[in-house]
Structures are given as structure tokens and as C-alpha cells.
Amino acid sequence: VQLQACGGGVVQAGGSLRLSCAVSGSGFGTNVMGWYRQTPGKQRDLVASITDDGSTTYVDSVKGRSTISRDNAGNRWYLQMNNLKPEDTAVYYCNVVGRFPQQRIRNSYWGQGTQVTVSS
């Protein structure tokens, strides 16, 4: 399973970015897709997640400013971030939890990080 994330960049406060992540792996069934972020010296924290039935979760600090979505096939998911603030600056990582048919348990996989920098 490979995850490819893209969409980071440098924006001014109040601007918008859309992150995207694609998962590859024939037959892999996704259950939960998410975005996490991490700043230097701190742990990686959940930003938003979406399940295979469309249920979403957001950290309080991004509620009302961000939307997580996915395609119908469950192979791509997105994080639309609006009204960005300097405190949103971090490396953003996409994550998927799922399994192949032959696996009995689900596993968690990470994409490479993409840097988001919000200037004041």
C-alpha cells in the first residue's frame, strides 16, 4: 500500500489550500481515511477523518474552516482548508486504515508529509 499526498504550500493568512491523498494497492479496502499534522517537537495529531460510510470527524480548531471528503471508490481523499491561520502551519500527513481481503485485521498506513505554511 502506498499513499501519495500533495497540495501543500505557502499561503497568507485567510487563504485556502486543498490537500489530496491517493492510495494504491490492488484490492485494498479502505475503512478510515484521515489527515494528521505535526509541528517540530510535538506529536502528530488528527485534523480530520472520514469513514467508508461518510462519517466525518474534525479537531475543534479546524471545525467550520475545513472539509474532508473522499471519492466514491475510496481511493482518494481531500482536505479543503479555508481561512487558514498561522497556527495551521505544520507538516500534514495522510493516513488510511484498511485491509486486503486476505488480512484478518486492519492496518494503518501513512503517506509522506506535505508542508503547509501560513504566513501572517
Side-chain angles (χ1 to χ4, degrees):
V1 175
Q2 290 188 329
L3 279 68
Q4 183 67 44
C6 61
V10 180
V11 296
Q12 290 187 331
S16 299
L17 281 175
R18 189 190 194 214
L19 307 182
S20 64
C21 188
V23 61
S24 62
S26 180
F28 184 77
T30 58
N31 295 113
V32 184
M33 294 145 277
W35 289 96
Y36 290 70
R37 63 187 179 189
Q38 187 173 25
T39 55
K42 295 191 175 182
Q43 67 180 20
R44 192 174 298 183
D45 291 326
L46 177 69
V47 178
S49 66
I50 184 168
T51 65
D52 52 1
D53 65 359
S55 298
T56 57
T57 301
Y58 296 93
V59 66
D60 286 346
S61 61
V62 306
K63 283 182 180 178
R65 301 189 295 121
S66 298
T67 302
I68 188 170
S69 61
R70 62 177 177 82
D71 68 355
N72 289 333
N75 296 326
R76 291 180 180 269
W77 57 106
Y78 312 92
L79 184 66
Q80 177 69 43
M81 299 187 292
N82 302 321
N83 190 22
L84 283 161
K85 303 176 181 180
E87 50 264 43
D88 294 317
T89 295
V91 178
Y92 284 70
Y93 296 89
C94 59
N95 173 268
V96 67
V97 177
R99 66 182 182 89
F100 289 97
Q102 65 269 28
Q103 294 177 322
R104 297 184 64 182
I105 61 173
R106 295 177 293 178
N107 292 286
S108 176
Y109 301 89
W110 293 93
Q112 89 287 3
T114 184
Q115 177 71 46
V116 171
T117 302
V118 184
S119 60
S120 58

